[in-house]
Amino acid sequence: MNIYKLITDKVANKKKIIAALIDPDKISKLPQLIKNIESSRIDLILIGGSLLFTDIEKTIKLIKSNTKKPVLIFPGNILQVSDKADGILLLSLISGRNPDLLIGNHVISAPIIKKANIEVIPTGYMLIESGKKTSVEYISNTKPIPNDKSDIATATAMAGEMLGLKLIYLEAGSGAANHVPLEMIKKVKNNISLPLIVGGGFRNIENIKNAFKSGADIIVLGSILEDNIDFIEELGVVY
Ligand code: 1GP
């Protein structure tokens, strides 16, 4: 299975993608969550986090044995690599100026990722200010792009595309007070030709629909799926 092709085919056919972000630390809720995801509108599973207390590989195995949906590692750090997943978003934190997260960690993990022989999707990861300090902001030791500076976000995404990255990911951070502003999503999407992922702070169907309408191709849902297991059923009405 080529996950990037699955994404670009859907985008070409104007189909929107919903991804569930699973936090390995919430493992007690996992069996029920996976069961619900398996029979839902969700297309992709992401796994990872800024800070994990639980072994990611064990969780990936558990997920893989309960669903056929593709599982992509969304690594919070270089320890989060496993050959048990279908692929990995190789994130370069292009909104920040932390050299380790732009290239340093990639150098360290490249031989391990190569050996894992999983699909690698080079991703321009951009942290957007969301109303409160998020774990990703603290752990990455980078400044998010102010949420009223769509021009900075757009130029950053354009530079990511010119550098050859294959996806752009606008991240408000898990549990963000506000998701990425619609105006910013629109402007970024209008200036790149790559698939656009948007995540962080989505808590209702209205917000998800509006973000899709503004140009998001993939929306990532984390906290809401953990907090309200029935929310998955409501996703059926999202196009
Ligand atoms: C993925 O970090 C997000 O980009 C997930 O955020 O937990 O707020 O849905 P939430």
Side-chain angles (χ1 to χ4, degrees), residues 21 74 125 169-176 198-203 220-224:
L21 173 64
F74 174 48
Y125 190 51
Y169 193 140
L170 299 179
E171 171 71 275
S174 187
V198 184
F202 286 101
R203 267 181 230 98
V220 183
L221 303 175
S223 318
I224 183 72

Side-chain angles (χ1 to χ4, degrees), residues 47 56-64 73 82 84-85:
I47 179 150
I56 194 168
E57 190 156 283
K58 203 169 110 196
T59 317
I60 297 172
K61 279 191 200 156
L62 185 66
I63 297 172
K64 290 295 294 175
I73 299 171
S82 162
K84 304 293 178 286

Side-chain angles (χ1 to χ4, degrees), residues 118-135:
I118 54 175
E119 182 179 346
V120 175
I121 307 179
T123 302
Y125 190 51
M126 295 171 49
L127 193 53
I128 312 298
E129 182 193 7
S130 67
K132 68 172 190 188
K133 201 165 189 126
T134 55
S135 301

Side-chain angles (χ1 to χ4, degrees), residues 9-73:
D9 283 354
K10 286 214 184 232
V11 173
N13 290 310
K14 302 207 174 343
K15 294 253 166 56
K16 300 296 184 179
I17 299 169
I18 299 176
L21 173 64
I22 289 186
D23 179 347
D25 288 341
K26 310 269 167 63
I27 201 149
S28 61
K29 292 187 176 176
L30 208 58
Q32 188 57 42
L33 187 57
I34 301 297
K35 218 169 137 210
N36 292 8
I37 288 174
E38 183 58 10
S39 58
S40 76
R41 160 75 180 75
I42 289 167
D43 308 278
L44 269 181
I45 295 174
L46 301 187
I47 179 150
S50 303
L51 181 68
L52 298 185
F53 287 75
T54 310
D55 175 22
I56 194 168
E57 190 156 283
K58 203 169 110 196
T59 317
I60 297 172
K61 279 191 200 156
L62 185 66
I63 297 172
K64 290 295 294 175
S65 58
N66 284 287
T67 177
K68 294 203 163 46
K69 308 238 174 187
V71 176
L72 270 177
I73 299 171

Side-chain angles (χ1 to χ4, degrees), residues 145-146 148-158 183-184 187-188:
I145 295 177
D148 60 346
K149 300 285 185 212
S150 294
D151 52 348
I152 297 180
T154 302
T156 306
M158 288 165 68
E183 191 213 316
M184 184 180 280
K187 191 158 183 186
V188 168

